[in-house]
Amino acid sequence: MILTDTHIHLYSEDYEKDRDELIENAFQQNIERFFLPAIDSETTEAMYDLEAHYPENVFLMMGLHPTHVQENFEEELEHVEEQFEKRRFYAVGEIGIDLHWDKSTLEIQQEAFRRQIQLAKKYKLPIVIHCRKAFDEVFDVLEEEKSEDLFGIFHCFTGTLEQAKRALSYNLKLGVGGVVTFKNGKIDKFLNEIPLKEILLETDGPYLSPSPFRGKRNEPEYLLKVAEKLAEIYEKPLAEVAEITTQNSKDIFGI
């Protein structure tokens, strides 16, 4: 049984003191594949270093996170493009729109999102979408950019069944993490109406720890809690959930 975490910030400073120990703990739980989303240019070297230490387990994305789309976003997008010219990545991410912290940057967030989708199409790669309080705005851009070569993951999906189905219509799978274990998370009420072949496991560590660790640092091995909850929802053995969701990750990322 192999479990795949399709979204974890393993390079985060929150893991600085015990990162290797946490990764080893995850290995003990059969969590062997980690896909790392980018934030901005300041995290690039830390991502590369981690990949060098775990070349068989760590797979990198490249992109500009919507909360880091600021006045210098043109320079940051240039950095993203330069990295793609130098080497291989497995996705453009995480990208999208976040209106929780700052609504004043909506226009440039939309511009950065649109241009990074186009970059993904150029390299025939999946996109990994961050969406917070911005479903309509994200869907507006996806509607503009929809095509056969648009595909990817709607990371940390927290929407309604209707929004889930709309995301699927753009050839996106749903990234499901700790929220599915929350009493007020809501997605657990309808997730079984979405085929498991459309679901990917993620932690989004160090954020969004599943119950009973909610509010604490999310650790790589907690992916198992998400997998166990999905096994309960879909009424399938844990090993089958692991097999299907890991295959889903291979279908998306090509590895």
Side-chain angles (χ1 to χ4, degrees):
M1 182 176 84
I2 296 176
L3 288 159
T4 299
D5 190 340
T6 60
H7 200 108
I8 182 169
H9 302 269
L10 270 177
Y11 51 83
S12 169
E13 292 181 356
D14 291 76
Y15 297 134
E16 194 169 340
K17 293 181 180 179
D18 56 355
R19 184 177 290 109
D20 291 328
E21 179 184 343
L22 293 172
I23 292 172
E24 288 300 325
N25 290 344
F27 289 164
Q28 295 300 315
Q29 303 293 340
N30 300 304
I31 304 163
E32 299 181 11
R33 290 157 47 87
F34 303 96
F35 287 84
L36 277 54
I39 298 294
D40 61 14
S41 59
E42 293 185 6
T43 61
T44 302
E45 289 306 316
M47 291 171 62
Y48 289 167
D49 289 346
L50 196 51
E51 178 192 45
H53 279 92
Y54 296 95
E56 302 296 318
N57 309 95
V58 166
F59 309 96
L60 304 185
M61 312 177 202
M62 179 52 58
L64 177 61
H65 192 292
T67 61
H68 290 246
V69 176
Q70 304 295 334
E71 290 179 0
N72 69 335
F73 82 100
E74 291 283 2
E75 294 171 30
E76 285 289 336
L77 288 180
E78 189 175 325
H79 171 79
V80 169
E81 291 170 4
E82 286 173 355
Q83 303 313 301
F84 274 101
E85 289 170 4
K86 292 178 181 178
R87 52 157 294 162
R88 178 186 183 187
F89 294 93
Y90 294 94
V92 178
E94 64 189 282
I95 64 176
I97 300 175
D98 188 313
L99 299 180
H100 176 72
W101 301 107
D102 188 355
K103 295 180 181 178
S104 71
T105 59
L106 173 59
E107 191 172 329
I108 57 174
Q109 285 192 55
Q110 289 169 318
E111 174 68 11
F113 186 27
R114 190 178 295 111
R115 281 166 56 181
Q116 290 182 97
I117 291 174
Q118 293 164 0
L119 187 65
K121 291 178 179 179
K122 175 182 176 181
Y123 287 98
K124 299 184 176 2
L125 289 172
I127 57 173
V128 174
I129 297 173
H130 171 108
C131 172
R132 192 169 185 189
K133 296 184 179 177
F135 276 100
D136 290 343
E137 291 80 3
V138 164
F139 285 141
D140 284 347
V141 176
L142 291 175
E143 186 64 27
E144 291 174 21
E145 294 293 333
K146 67 179 180 182
S147 62
E148 289 185 1
D149 53 357
L150 172 68
F151 71 107
I153 303 169
F154 209 112
H155 146 65
C156 190
F157 185 80
T158 57
T160 64
L161 177 59
E162 181 183 6
Q163 289 166 332
K165 290 179 177 178
R166 186 167 183 192
L168 297 182
S169 77
Y170 294 114
N171 206 19
L172 301 170
K173 295 189 185 299
L174 307 182
V176 174
V179 172
V180 77
T181 69
F182 297 171
K183 287 183 178 179
N184 60 348
K186 299 179 183 176
I187 64 171
D188 60 311
K189 302 294 188 292
F190 65 79
L191 207 57
N192 63 354
E193 296 185 47
I194 303 294
L196 189 55
K197 69 176 183 176
E198 306 291 358
I199 303 296
L200 296 159
L201 301 180
E202 60 172 61
T203 55
D204 198 20
Y207 318 107
L208 288 173
S209 289
S211 297
F213 308 106
R214 189 174 183 181
K216 299 178 181 178
R217 179 184 70 168
N218 200 353
E219 299 183 3
E221 67 180 289
Y222 295 169
L223 186 72
L224 190 60
K225 294 293 183 185
V226 179
E228 289 171 346
K229 183 63 177 181
L230 286 183
E232 177 187 320
I233 290 171
Y234 285 96
E235 298 181 341
K236 292 183 181 296
L238 180 62
E240 187 175 345
V241 169
E243 180 182 3
I244 293 172
T245 55
T246 285
Q247 184 59 52
N248 294 345
S249 74
K250 293 177 178 178
D251 294 342
I252 288 286
F253 294 116
I255 187 168

